């Protein structure tokens, strides 16, 4: 499996996480959630390490769980995780122009999910639970209602300015 790994894996941090969950294989999903919280994705080396440290597990089992559940990402995500809703209400109210504006603003090519600078990642989701505010975009935990292409540009420009990139 070839997954790009921009992070050096801190095995002491992984040991800390494993210890907090008593090295139990029944806690695998919670362990993977915690690892993803730390690295913003599941690095291949971390999954292999976990698979060798928990009795009764193998790296293949860890990979199987990580790839089965949609909540886990095997690709590094940006500091700013943008989720663009394309559920029915959002789609009908213009989510595709919003999604295209995000892709254009971040210069994402077809299939590319993370900006070249690693700061932004984009995910299309089926519902963000804010149908009355459609179309909706979420950046990390903040919801942006009634999005337009112009609003996308302003929001991303503001975030880039906060990062000293404008």
């Amino acid at each position: 499996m070839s997954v790009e790994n921009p992070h050096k894996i801190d095995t002491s941090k992984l040991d800390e996480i494993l210890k907090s969950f008593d090295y139990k294989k029944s806690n695998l999903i919670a362990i993977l959630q915690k690892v993803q919280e730390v690295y913003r994705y599941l690095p291949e080396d971390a999954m292999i390490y976990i698979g060798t440290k928990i009795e009764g597990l193998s790296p293949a089992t860890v990979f199987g769980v990580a790839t089965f559940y949609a909540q886990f990402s095997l690709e590094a995500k940006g500091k700013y995780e943008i989720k663009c809703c394309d559920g029915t209400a959002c789609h009908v109210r213009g989510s595709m122009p919003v999604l295209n504006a995000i892709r254009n603003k971040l210069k994402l090519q077809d299939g590319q999910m993370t900006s070249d600078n690693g700061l932004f990642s984009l995910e299309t989701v089926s519902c963000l639970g804010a149908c009355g505010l459609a179309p909706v975009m979420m950046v990390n935990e903040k919801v942006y209602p009634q999005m337009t292409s112009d609003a996308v540009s302003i929001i991303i420009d503001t975030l880039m300015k906060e990062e000293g990139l404008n």
Side-chain angles (χ1 to χ4, degrees), residues 71-106:
Q71 67 178 298
F72 297 120
S73 175
L74 302 184
E75 292 182 29
K77 292 189 176 187
K79 178 178 179 179
Y80 299 102
E81 292 182 47
I82 301 172
K83 293 180 182 175
C84 185
C85 183
D86 193 36
T88 303
C90 287
H91 189 82
V92 168
R93 293 186 181 156
S95 63
M96 290 312 292
V98 171
L99 186 59
N100 289 332
I102 297 166
R103 284 189 181 126
N104 290 337
K105 186 71 178 172
L106 298 178

Side-chain angles (χ1 to χ4, degrees), residues 3-18:
V3 177
E4 190 173 347
N5 183 0
H7 298 283
K8 180 158 175 50
I9 302 306
D10 181 355
T11 56
S12 65
K13 182 65 177 168
L14 292 176
D15 285 332
E16 207 176 286
I17 292 168
L18 290 167

Side-chain angles (χ1 to χ4, degrees), residues 2 14-15 18 22 24 45 47 57 60-61 68-69 94 104 116 151-152:
S2 176
L14 292 176
D15 285 332
L18 290 167
D22 298 322
K24 289 185 179 175
D45 293 346
M47 290 187 287
L57 280 186
T61 302
F68 179 79
Y69 292 101
N104 290 337
D116 289 340
V152 164

Side-chain angles (χ1 to χ4, degrees), residues 85-148:
C85 183
D86 193 36
T88 303
C90 287
H91 189 82
V92 168
R93 293 186 181 156
S95 63
M96 290 312 292
V98 171
L99 186 59
N100 289 332
I102 297 166
R103 284 189 181 126
N104 290 337
K105 186 71 178 172
L106 298 178
K107 298 178 176 75
L108 297 177
Q109 305 301 316
D110 288 337
Q112 184 181 1
M113 302 301 290
T114 303
S115 61
D116 289 340
N117 63 9
L119 200 55
F120 297 93
S121 56
L122 174 62
E123 180 181 353
T124 306
V125 296
S126 298
C127 187
L128 289 172
C131 302
L133 304 172
V136 177
M137 174 178 95
M138 197 165 147
V139 179
N140 295 344
E141 299 302 315
K142 186 173 180 179
V143 175
Y144 293 91
Q146 300 172 332
M147 289 302 301
T148 64

